[in-house]
Amino acid sequence: MNMQQRLSDQHRVADADTSASAPATQQMPSVVLACRNVSHSVGDGADQLHILRDISLELKSGASLAITGASGSGKTTLLGLLAGLDVASSGHIEMFGQSLQHLDEEQRAALRRNQVGFVFQSFHLIPTLTALDNVLLPLELTAQASARKLALDALERVGLSARLRHYPGKLSGGEQQRVALARAFAGNPQLLFADEPTGNLDHVSGQRIIELLFELNSAKATSLVLVTHDLQLASHCDRHARLEQGRLVWQD
């Protein structure tokens, strides 16, 4: 089953994640993500649009970073570059000490495999699969040991043990996002990217997702990069930067 076909095209989670072996894991570097003088443009000549300009940042193991900004400011574009889903026009990005610019698409996918998780605003659950199967599928595709136990434990952690056999259409928005969180954390990723994880939720559900996100971050020591409009969510992160006219303006 092709993982790329399962998820939204705009996020382009590469199906190569499921086809290459994970690199040998050595001691986790203190800096898991580094971005140096990254700029990104689309188009050519007079039609060229400069989306990001001279972006630099660093994320240490277990730390959290929030990126905020107006709609259309380039937040999701930056997230895709940091995750290696797209390649920057210029500059340098390292993930787990490896330069993304020096890797092809398949190699970047292999680097993400079993090390990177994603949480999306629109959940991106597969409607024909139960909550349990939605969490179980990526674990099985990556041949994760004890996949079923990991999926059950993850759903229990987000309080959905009683909803294992329910399909997404029978779950509330908050419950669907909790399934998405369980899916993201089930494989114990070292780095998690979240694109507006509370954007489609009411205040109460959003607050619960914020609590769960940082409970799991603490329990798993997972590094977080969050793109959000939610300043309350941003305030929970170790660092907060706002994108303005393509540049990062640090808020801390």
PDB file of all heavy atoms in Angstrom, residues 178-208:
ATOM      1  N   ARG A 178      -6.636  13.269  17.901  1.00  0.00           N
ATOM      2  CA  ARG A 178      -5.943  12.412  18.867  1.00  0.00           C
ATOM      3  C   ARG A 178      -5.451  11.132  18.200  1.00  0.00           C
ATOM      4  O   ARG A 178      -4.372  10.627  18.524  1.00  0.00           O
ATOM      5  CB  ARG A 178      -6.856  12.090  20.056  1.00  0.00           C
ATOM      6  CG  ARG A 178      -6.924  13.226  21.068  1.00  0.00           C
ATOM      7  CD  ARG A 178      -7.583  12.772  22.348  1.00  0.00           C
ATOM      8  NE  ARG A 178      -9.032  12.905  22.281  1.00  0.00           N
ATOM      9  CZ  ARG A 178      -9.883  12.292  23.097  1.00  0.00           C
ATOM     10  NH1 ARG A 178      -9.420  11.466  24.032  1.00  0.00           N
ATOM     11  NH2 ARG A 178     -11.178  12.483  22.995  1.00  0.00           N
ATOM     12  N   VAL A 179      -6.248  10.591  17.269  1.00  0.00           N
ATOM     13  CA  VAL A 179      -5.772   9.441  16.484  1.00  0.00           C
ATOM     14  C   VAL A 179      -4.532   9.836  15.682  1.00  0.00           C
ATOM     15  O   VAL A 179      -3.550   9.089  15.618  1.00  0.00           O
ATOM     16  CB  VAL A 179      -6.876   8.919  15.545  1.00  0.00           C
ATOM     17  CG1 VAL A 179      -6.317   7.811  14.638  1.00  0.00           C
ATOM     18  CG2 VAL A 179      -8.063   8.390  16.335  1.00  0.00           C
ATOM     19  N   ALA A 180      -4.573  11.040  15.091  1.00  0.00           N
ATOM     20  CA  ALA A 180      -3.426  11.512  14.313  1.00  0.00           C
ATOM     21  C   ALA A 180      -2.190  11.670  15.197  1.00  0.00           C
ATOM     22  O   ALA A 180      -1.073  11.352  14.774  1.00  0.00           O
ATOM     23  CB  ALA A 180      -3.771  12.834  13.638  1.00  0.00           C
ATOM     24  N   LEU A 181      -2.382  12.155  16.421  1.00  0.00           N
ATOM     25  CA  LEU A 181      -1.265  12.257  17.358  1.00  0.00           C
ATOM     26  C   LEU A 181      -0.724  10.885  17.715  1.00  0.00           C
ATOM     27  O   LEU A 181       0.492  10.676  17.766  1.00  0.00           O
ATOM     28  CB  LEU A 181      -1.699  12.977  18.635  1.00  0.00           C
ATOM     29  CG  LEU A 181      -1.684  14.494  18.645  1.00  0.00           C
ATOM     30  CD1 LEU A 181      -2.176  15.005  19.995  1.00  0.00           C
ATOM     31  CD2 LEU A 181      -0.298  15.032  18.360  1.00  0.00           C
ATOM     32  N   ALA A 182      -1.621   9.948  17.981  1.00  0.00           N
ATOM     33  CA  ALA A 182      -1.191   8.584  18.298  1.00  0.00           C
ATOM     34  C   ALA A 182      -0.394   8.000  17.145  1.00  0.00           C
ATOM     35  O   ALA A 182       0.636   7.354  17.350  1.00  0.00           O
ATOM     36  CB  ALA A 182      -2.410   7.711  18.609  1.00  0.00           C
ATOM     37  N   ARG A 183      -0.864   8.224  15.919  1.00  0.00           N
ATOM     38  CA  ARG A 183      -0.151   7.724  14.735  1.00  0.00           C
ATOM     39  C   ARG A 183       1.246   8.331  14.633  1.00  0.00           C
ATOM     40  O   ARG A 183       2.220   7.655  14.323  1.00  0.00           O
ATOM     41  CB  ARG A 183      -0.965   8.044  13.477  1.00  0.00           C
ATOM     42  CG  ARG A 183      -0.326   7.575  12.185  1.00  0.00           C
ATOM     43  CD  ARG A 183      -1.183   7.940  10.980  1.00  0.00           C
ATOM     44  NE  ARG A 183      -1.367   9.386  10.870  1.00  0.00           N
ATOM     45  CZ  ARG A 183      -2.250   9.966  10.048  1.00  0.00           C
ATOM     46  NH1 ARG A 183      -3.019   9.215   9.283  1.00  0.00           N
ATOM     47  NH2 ARG A 183      -2.351  11.275  10.004  1.00  0.00           N
ATOM     48  N   ALA A 184       1.328   9.638  14.909  1.00  0.00           N
ATOM     49  CA  ALA A 184       2.610  10.330  14.789  1.00  0.00           C
ATOM     50  C   ALA A 184       3.619   9.866  15.829  1.00  0.00           C
ATOM     51  O   ALA A 184       4.813   9.762  15.551  1.00  0.00           O
ATOM     52  CB  ALA A 184       2.402  11.836  14.906  1.00  0.00           C
ATOM     53  N   PHE A 185       3.149   9.592  17.038  1.00  0.00           N
ATOM     54  CA  PHE A 185       4.055   9.254  18.136  1.00  0.00           C
ATOM     55  C   PHE A 185       4.274   7.756  18.306  1.00  0.00           C
ATOM     56  O   PHE A 185       5.190   7.345  19.018  1.00  0.00           O
ATOM     57  CB  PHE A 185       3.530   9.826  19.454  1.00  0.00           C
ATOM     58  CG  PHE A 185       3.893  11.267  19.681  1.00  0.00           C
ATOM     59  CD1 PHE A 185       2.987  12.270  19.391  1.00  0.00           C
ATOM     60  CD2 PHE A 185       5.133  11.619  20.197  1.00  0.00           C
ATOM     61  CE1 PHE A 185       3.313  13.604  19.593  1.00  0.00           C
ATOM     62  CE2 PHE A 185       5.473  12.949  20.406  1.00  0.00           C
ATOM     63  CZ  PHE A 185       4.560  13.945  20.099  1.00  0.00           C
ATOM     64  N   ALA A 186       3.448   6.930  17.657  1.00  0.00           N
ATOM     65  CA  ALA A 186       3.507   5.486  17.902  1.00  0.00           C
ATOM     66  C   ALA A 186       4.867   4.890  17.588  1.00  0.00           C
ATOM     67  O   ALA A 186       5.332   3.968  18.267  1.00  0.00           O
ATOM     68  CB  ALA A 186       2.424   4.769  17.094  1.00  0.00           C
ATOM     69  N   GLY A 187       5.523   5.400  16.558  1.00  0.00           N
ATOM     70  CA  GLY A 187       6.832   4.861  16.179  1.00  0.00           C
ATOM     71  C   GLY A 187       7.991   5.495  16.911  1.00  0.00           C
ATOM     72  O   GLY A 187       9.151   5.268  16.557  1.00  0.00           O
ATOM     73  N   ASN A 188       7.692   6.267  17.957  1.00  0.00           N
ATOM     74  CA  ASN A 188       8.722   6.943  18.763  1.00  0.00           C
ATOM     75  C   ASN A 188       9.681   7.781  17.908  1.00  0.00           C
ATOM     76  O   ASN A 188      10.905   7.575  17.940  1.00  0.00           O
ATOM     77  CB  ASN A 188       9.517   5.925  19.591  1.00  0.00           C
ATOM     78  CG  ASN A 188       8.652   5.239  20.621  1.00  0.00           C
ATOM     79  OD1 ASN A 188       7.828   5.869  21.277  1.00  0.00           O
ATOM     80  ND2 ASN A 188       8.811   3.931  20.759  1.00  0.00           N
ATOM     81  N   PRO A 189       9.149   8.743  17.133  1.00  0.00           N
ATOM     82  CA  PRO A 189      10.036   9.563  16.296  1.00  0.00           C
ATOM     83  C   PRO A 189      10.930  10.456  17.141  1.00  0.00           C
ATOM     84  O   PRO A 189      10.562  10.867  18.239  1.00  0.00           O
ATOM     85  CB  PRO A 189       9.042  10.401  15.479  1.00  0.00           C
ATOM     86  CG  PRO A 189       7.842  10.527  16.377  1.00  0.00           C
ATOM     87  CD  PRO A 189       7.745   9.186  17.063  1.00  0.00           C
ATOM     88  N   GLN A 190      12.084  10.757  16.625  1.00  0.00           N
ATOM     89  CA  GLN A 190      12.993  11.675  17.315  1.00  0.00           C
ATOM     90  C   GLN A 190      12.639  13.128  17.021  1.00  0.00           C
ATOM     91  O   GLN A 190      13.015  14.033  17.771  1.00  0.00           O
ATOM     92  CB  GLN A 190      14.431  11.371  16.884  1.00  0.00           C
ATOM     93  CG  GLN A 190      14.887   9.975  17.283  1.00  0.00           C
ATOM     94  CD  GLN A 190      16.187   9.568  16.597  1.00  0.00           C
ATOM     95  OE1 GLN A 190      16.655  10.213  15.665  1.00  0.00           O
ATOM     96  NE2 GLN A 190      16.750   8.462  17.052  1.00  0.00           N
ATOM     97  N   LEU A 191      11.908  13.343  15.927  1.00  0.00           N
ATOM     98  CA  LEU A 191      11.557  14.694  15.482  1.00  0.00           C
ATOM     99  C   LEU A 191      10.140  14.667  14.929  1.00  0.00           C
ATOM    100  O   LEU A 191       9.794  13.766  14.160  1.00  0.00           O
ATOM    101  CB  LEU A 191      12.545  15.146  14.401  1.00  0.00           C
ATOM    102  CG  LEU A 191      12.314  16.492  13.718  1.00  0.00           C
ATOM    103  CD1 LEU A 191      12.333  17.638  14.723  1.00  0.00           C
ATOM    104  CD2 LEU A 191      13.381  16.711  12.640  1.00  0.00           C
ATOM    105  N   LEU A 192       9.322  15.635  15.347  1.00  0.00           N
ATOM    106  CA  LEU A 192       7.942  15.688  14.878  1.00  0.00           C
ATOM    107  C   LEU A 192       7.643  17.066  14.317  1.00  0.00           C
ATOM    108  O   LEU A 192       7.952  18.081  14.931  1.00  0.00           O
ATOM    109  CB  LEU A 192       6.961  15.356  16.017  1.00  0.00           C
ATOM    110  CG  LEU A 192       5.491  15.266  15.598  1.00  0.00           C
ATOM    111  CD1 LEU A 192       4.814  14.098  16.308  1.00  0.00           C
ATOM    112  CD2 LEU A 192       4.741  16.556  15.891  1.00  0.00           C
ATOM    113  N   PHE A 193       7.021  17.083  13.122  1.00  0.00           N
ATOM    114  CA  PHE A 193       6.565  18.306  12.491  1.00  0.00           C
ATOM    115  C   PHE A 193       5.038  18.353  12.569  1.00  0.00           C
ATOM    116  O   PHE A 193       4.378  17.361  12.241  1.00  0.00           O
ATOM    117  CB  PHE A 193       6.989  18.354  11.023  1.00  0.00           C
ATOM    118  CG  PHE A 193       8.480  18.417  10.821  1.00  0.00           C
ATOM    119  CD1 PHE A 193       9.204  17.260  10.574  1.00  0.00           C
ATOM    120  CD2 PHE A 193       9.154  19.625  10.872  1.00  0.00           C
ATOM    121  CE1 PHE A 193      10.580  17.303  10.373  1.00  0.00           C
ATOM    122  CE2 PHE A 193      10.535  19.682  10.681  1.00  0.00           C
ATOM    123  CZ  PHE A 193      11.248  18.528  10.431  1.00  0.00           C
ATOM    124  N   ALA A 194       4.490  19.497  12.973  1.00  0.00           N
ATOM    125  CA  ALA A 194       3.044  19.644  13.070  1.00  0.00           C
ATOM    126  C   ALA A 194       2.616  20.914  12.354  1.00  0.00           C
ATOM    127  O   ALA A 194       3.122  21.998  12.636  1.00  0.00           O
ATOM    128  CB  ALA A 194       2.606  19.678  14.531  1.00  0.00           C
ATOM    129  N   ASP A 195       1.678  20.772  11.415  1.00  0.00           N
ATOM    130  CA  ASP A 195       1.174  21.898  10.635  1.00  0.00           C
ATOM    131  C   ASP A 195      -0.236  22.230  11.117  1.00  0.00           C
ATOM    132  O   ASP A 195      -1.189  21.501  10.840  1.00  0.00           O
ATOM    133  CB  ASP A 195       1.161  21.529   9.153  1.00  0.00           C
ATOM    134  CG  ASP A 195       0.896  22.726   8.255  1.00  0.00           C
ATOM    135  OD1 ASP A 195       0.702  23.840   8.783  1.00  0.00           O
ATOM    136  OD2 ASP A 195       0.880  22.554   7.026  1.00  0.00           O
ATOM    137  N   GLU A 196      -0.372  23.318  11.878  1.00  0.00           N
ATOM    138  CA  GLU A 196      -1.651  23.773  12.428  1.00  0.00           C
ATOM    139  C   GLU A 196      -2.407  22.622  13.118  1.00  0.00           C
ATOM    140  O   GLU A 196      -3.543  22.305  12.752  1.00  0.00           O
ATOM    141  CB  GLU A 196      -2.520  24.372  11.314  1.00  0.00           C
ATOM    142  CG  GLU A 196      -1.933  25.590  10.654  1.00  0.00           C
ATOM    143  CD  GLU A 196      -2.019  26.852  11.512  1.00  0.00           C
ATOM    144  OE1 GLU A 196      -2.460  26.752  12.680  1.00  0.00           O
ATOM    145  OE2 GLU A 196      -1.623  27.917  11.024  1.00  0.00           O
ATOM    146  N   PRO A 197      -1.816  21.983  14.116  1.00  0.00           N
ATOM    147  CA  PRO A 197      -2.455  20.800  14.718  1.00  0.00           C
ATOM    148  C   PRO A 197      -3.755  21.090  15.450  1.00  0.00           C
ATOM    149  O   PRO A 197      -4.531  20.169  15.703  1.00  0.00           O
ATOM    150  CB  PRO A 197      -1.385  20.292  15.689  1.00  0.00           C
ATOM    151  CG  PRO A 197      -0.574  21.495  16.023  1.00  0.00           C
ATOM    152  CD  PRO A 197      -0.529  22.298  14.748  1.00  0.00           C
ATOM    153  N   THR A 198      -4.028  22.358  15.793  1.00  0.00           N
ATOM    154  CA  THR A 198      -5.293  22.695  16.459  1.00  0.00           C
ATOM    155  C   THR A 198      -6.193  23.548  15.572  1.00  0.00           C
ATOM    156  O   THR A 198      -7.232  24.025  16.009  1.00  0.00           O
ATOM    157  CB  THR A 198      -5.029  23.460  17.772  1.00  0.00           C
ATOM    158  OG1 THR A 198      -4.333  24.689  17.483  1.00  0.00           O
ATOM    159  CG2 THR A 198      -4.186  22.637  18.731  1.00  0.00           C
ATOM    160  N   GLY A 199      -5.807  23.723  14.311  1.00  0.00           N
ATOM    161  CA  GLY A 199      -6.496  24.676  13.448  1.00  0.00           C
ATOM    162  C   GLY A 199      -7.941  24.349  13.155  1.00  0.00           C
ATOM    163  O   GLY A 199      -8.743  25.253  12.924  1.00  0.00           O
ATOM    164  N   ASN A 200      -8.321  23.077  13.124  1.00  0.00           N
ATOM    165  CA  ASN A 200      -9.698  22.691  12.798  1.00  0.00           C
ATOM    166  C   ASN A 200     -10.500  22.283  14.025  1.00  0.00           C
ATOM    167  O   ASN A 200     -11.548  21.639  13.895  1.00  0.00           O
ATOM    168  CB  ASN A 200      -9.691  21.524  11.794  1.00  0.00           C
ATOM    169  CG  ASN A 200      -9.392  21.987  10.386  1.00  0.00           C
ATOM    170  OD1 ASN A 200      -9.581  23.158  10.053  1.00  0.00           O
ATOM    171  ND2 ASN A 200      -8.908  21.093   9.546  1.00  0.00           N
ATOM    172  N   LEU A 201     -10.026  22.665  15.208  1.00  0.00           N
ATOM    173  CA  LEU A 201     -10.666  22.211  16.439  1.00  0.00           C
ATOM    174  C   LEU A 201     -11.274  23.372  17.205  1.00  0.00           C
ATOM    175  O   LEU A 201     -10.824  24.512  17.116  1.00  0.00           O
ATOM    176  CB  LEU A 201      -9.639  21.500  17.329  1.00  0.00           C
ATOM    177  CG  LEU A 201      -8.895  20.318  16.698  1.00  0.00           C
ATOM    178  CD1 LEU A 201      -7.883  19.760  17.688  1.00  0.00           C
ATOM    179  CD2 LEU A 201      -9.870  19.232  16.254  1.00  0.00           C
ATOM    180  N   ASP A 202     -12.325  23.068  17.992  1.00  0.00           N
ATOM    181  CA  ASP A 202     -12.874  24.082  18.886  1.00  0.00           C
ATOM    182  C   ASP A 202     -11.905  24.299  20.045  1.00  0.00           C
ATOM    183  O   ASP A 202     -10.913  23.577  20.188  1.00  0.00           O
ATOM    184  CB  ASP A 202     -14.263  23.666  19.399  1.00  0.00           C
ATOM    185  CG  ASP A 202     -14.256  22.331  20.141  1.00  0.00           C
ATOM    186  OD1 ASP A 202     -13.448  22.170  21.089  1.00  0.00           O
ATOM    187  OD2 ASP A 202     -15.056  21.446  19.785  1.00  0.00           O
ATOM    188  N   HIS A 203     -12.188  25.300  20.867  1.00  0.00           N
ATOM    189  CA  HIS A 203     -11.240  25.682  21.917  1.00  0.00           C
ATOM    190  C   HIS A 203     -10.958  24.531  22.881  1.00  0.00           C
ATOM    191  O   HIS A 203      -9.794  24.273  23.235  1.00  0.00           O
ATOM    192  CB  HIS A 203     -11.774  26.884  22.696  1.00  0.00           C
ATOM    193  CG  HIS A 203     -10.903  27.272  23.852  1.00  0.00           C
ATOM    194  ND1 HIS A 203      -9.695  27.919  23.703  1.00  0.00           N
ATOM    195  CD2 HIS A 203     -11.054  27.067  25.204  1.00  0.00           C
ATOM    196  CE1 HIS A 203      -9.132  28.113  24.882  1.00  0.00           C
ATOM    197  NE2 HIS A 203      -9.935  27.608  25.808  1.00  0.00           N
ATOM    198  N   VAL A 204     -12.000  23.838  23.308  1.00  0.00           N
ATOM    199  CA  VAL A 204     -11.822  22.763  24.297  1.00  0.00           C
ATOM    200  C   VAL A 204     -11.001  21.628  23.702  1.00  0.00           C
ATOM    201  O   VAL A 204     -10.048  21.137  24.329  1.00  0.00           O
ATOM    202  CB  VAL A 204     -13.197  22.241  24.785  1.00  0.00           C
ATOM    203  CG1 VAL A 204     -13.010  21.018  25.682  1.00  0.00           C
ATOM    204  CG2 VAL A 204     -13.932  23.344  25.547  1.00  0.00           C
ATOM    205  N   SER A 205     -11.357  21.210  22.481  1.00  0.00           N
ATOM    206  CA  SER A 205     -10.607  20.131  21.830  1.00  0.00           C
ATOM    207  C   SER A 205      -9.178  20.559  21.547  1.00  0.00           C
ATOM    208  O   SER A 205      -8.232  19.787  21.719  1.00  0.00           O
ATOM    209  CB  SER A 205     -11.292  19.721  20.521  1.00  0.00           C
ATOM    210  OG  SER A 205     -12.585  19.203  20.762  1.00  0.00           O
ATOM    211  N   GLY A 206      -9.010  21.820  21.121  1.00  0.00           N
ATOM    212  CA  GLY A 206      -7.675  22.330  20.845  1.00  0.00           C
ATOM    213  C   GLY A 206      -6.801  22.344  22.081  1.00  0.00           C
ATOM    214  O   GLY A 206      -5.613  22.005  22.026  1.00  0.00           O
ATOM    215  N   GLN A 207      -7.390  22.730  23.220  1.00  0.00           N
ATOM    216  CA  GLN A 207      -6.639  22.750  24.472  1.00  0.00           C
ATOM    217  C   GLN A 207      -6.186  21.346  24.848  1.00  0.00           C
ATOM    218  O   GLN A 207      -5.053  21.149  25.303  1.00  0.00           O
ATOM    219  CB  GLN A 207      -7.504  23.337  25.592  1.00  0.00           C
ATOM    220  CG  GLN A 207      -6.810  23.437  26.936  1.00  0.00           C
ATOM    221  CD  GLN A 207      -5.576  24.311  26.909  1.00  0.00           C
ATOM    222  OE1 GLN A 207      -5.564  25.353  26.250  1.00  0.00           O
ATOM    223  NE2 GLN A 207      -4.528  23.912  27.610  1.00  0.00           N
ATOM    224  N   ARG A 208      -7.045  20.364  24.646  1.00  0.00           N
ATOM    225  CA  ARG A 208      -6.683  18.982  24.962  1.00  0.00           C
ATOM    226  C   ARG A 208      -5.550  18.487  24.056  1.00  0.00           C
ATOM    227  O   ARG A 208      -4.624  17.809  24.524  1.00  0.00           O
ATOM    228  CB  ARG A 208      -7.917  18.074  24.814  1.00  0.00           C
ATOM    229  CG  ARG A 208      -7.642  16.592  25.089  1.00  0.00           C
ATOM    230  CD  ARG A 208      -7.073  16.372  26.468  1.00  0.00           C
ATOM    231  NE  ARG A 208      -6.793  14.968  26.732  1.00  0.00           N
ATOM    232  CZ  ARG A 208      -5.795  14.526  27.487  1.00  0.00           C
ATOM    233  NH1 ARG A 208      -4.955  15.391  28.066  1.00  0.00           N
ATOM    234  NH2 ARG A 208      -5.620  13.232  27.679  1.00  0.00           N
TER     235      ARG A 208
END
